[in-house]
Every structure is written in C-alpha cells, then in structure tokens.
Amino acid sequence: SVLDPEAIEAAGAVIRDVVLDRQNVFNLDDPKEDRRLYRLANRLHVVTREEVVRGQLLFQPGDRFDARLPEETERILRPTEFSTVATVRPIAFEDGMVDIEVVTEDVWSLTPKASFSRSGGENRVSLGAEEVNLLGNGQFLRARYLSNVDRDSTQLEFEDRTLNHGWW
C-alpha cells in the first residue's frame, strides 16, 4: 500500500530509520541485462558509497517528518553525474514513527577520451579519462595527456562537491 506523506506529517511522525537501496549500473535480475559484459561492468564499477548518499539527504533519523523533503531530496540526488534514478518514499508508519526508503541507481561513470588530428604537417594528440564517481565517493577526476608541436603536457583535475560529506 502507498503511504500518504501529508497524513504522516499531519500525525507528527518522527523518522525512525532511513533505508538505503544503492543499485549498481546494471540490474542482473533483468534477463536483458544479465550478460557477461554487464556483469563485468558491475564488478569493475564501485557503487556510490552509503555516506555519499546520506550526505545528500535533507533529513535523518530523529527528525520530524516533513512531507516536502522526500521530493526535494529526489531533486538533489537525480542531477548527479553518477545516479540516474532516485526514489525517496515512506515505507512504514506505525506508533508515530516513519521509515523512509531511498533508492539510487548508479550510471557508468568512467569515460575514456582520445583525439588525434593532423593539420599543416603537425600532429595533435589528446588521451585521457574522466571518472565522475571516483571509488564511489561522488568525486570528479580527469587525467589527460596532450601533445602538439609546441609542447607535451599532462593535466590532472579533481573536484569534490561534497567535501567532508557536507555542502560546500
């Protein structure tokens, strides 16, 4: 049965538990996705860590339940580069206590980059990779090697939008 968030809020419920369901890139329970390549990808991919997801939540156990916060939390979790699906909903309500389920589904987060060109007798090469969920921590890392007639260079870029698992 579907629980009515407004009724739960009106009852003055307090959040008892927040249950996380962090799903990998491919759902191997689906016969279309239970393939060798997808199983390998799931083994190589590090699922977004629990503390990264919890750091994005607008509520925690012990807080008074606010019916707006599950939808607002979904909006925060959806636009991340490492998650496509986010569902936040109450799953149990009894004796003034509510349990909330947070479901996230990861996307493949490693992208190789390569570019080769030749113009005017000059070669240009760019090789690298981007990872938008480094080791499941929600961090961005780009490594790139560039070579042209003027110079060879190596670039490294790192970003952590939730430094210390808070909003910075």
Side-chain angles (χ1 to χ4, degrees), residues 95-130:
D95 301 326
M97 303 296 277
V98 63
D99 295 336
I100 301 175
E101 178 184 53
V102 178
V103 179
T104 57
E105 186 177 307
D106 278 10
V107 296
W108 184 253
S109 56
L110 178 64
T111 307
K113 305 277 185 173
S115 170
F116 305 95
S117 65
R118 180 171 175 81
S119 106
E122 299 173 6
N123 294 327
R124 290 187 186 94
V125 177
S126 173
L127 298 170
E130 289 181 4

Side-chain angles (χ1 to χ4, degrees), residues 9-149:
E9 179 180 10
V14 172
I15 299 170
R16 174 179 42 210
D17 195 13
V18 177
V19 179
L20 299 184
D21 180 2
R22 299 166 299 119
Q23 298 177 3
N24 211 330
V25 177
F26 296 102
N27 177 5
L28 301 180
D29 293 332
D30 179 350
K32 294 176 188 171
E33 294 187 8
D34 189 14
R35 304 270 192 259
R36 184 176 304 162
L37 180 62
Y38 298 154
R39 287 191 298 269
L40 175 63
N42 273 1
R43 278 196 297 276
L44 294 173
H45 177 78
V46 178
V47 176
T48 303
R49 296 184 187 284
E50 183 174 314
E51 59 269 17
V52 172
V53 175
R54 287 195 187 277
Q56 304 297 305
L57 303 180
L58 298 174
F59 50 82
Q60 60 186 346
D63 290 352
R64 186 166 287 281
F65 180 77
D66 181 331
R68 294 175 305 116
L69 294 184
E71 284 183 25
E72 290 298 320
T73 300
E74 284 181 1
R75 283 191 202 103
I76 289 170
L77 289 170
R78 277 194 198 124
T80 61
E81 294 87 6
F82 47 85
S83 181
T84 58
V85 175
T87 306
V88 182
R89 64 187 179 93
I91 55 170
F93 175 56
E94 61 186 13
D95 301 326
M97 303 296 277
V98 63
D99 295 336
I100 301 175
E101 178 184 53
V102 178
V103 179
T104 57
E105 186 177 307
D106 278 10
V107 296
W108 184 253
S109 56
L110 178 64
T111 307
K113 305 277 185 173
S115 170
F116 305 95
S117 65
R118 180 171 175 81
S119 106
E122 299 173 6
N123 294 327
R124 290 187 186 94
V125 177
S126 173
L127 298 170
E130 289 181 4
E131 171 61 60
V132 296
N133 193 12
L134 184 63
L135 300 174
N137 289 311
Q139 299 162 329
F140 173 83
L141 178 67
R142 176 186 294 144
R144 192 162 66 165
Y145 167 77
L146 304 164
S147 177
N148 60 38
V149 70

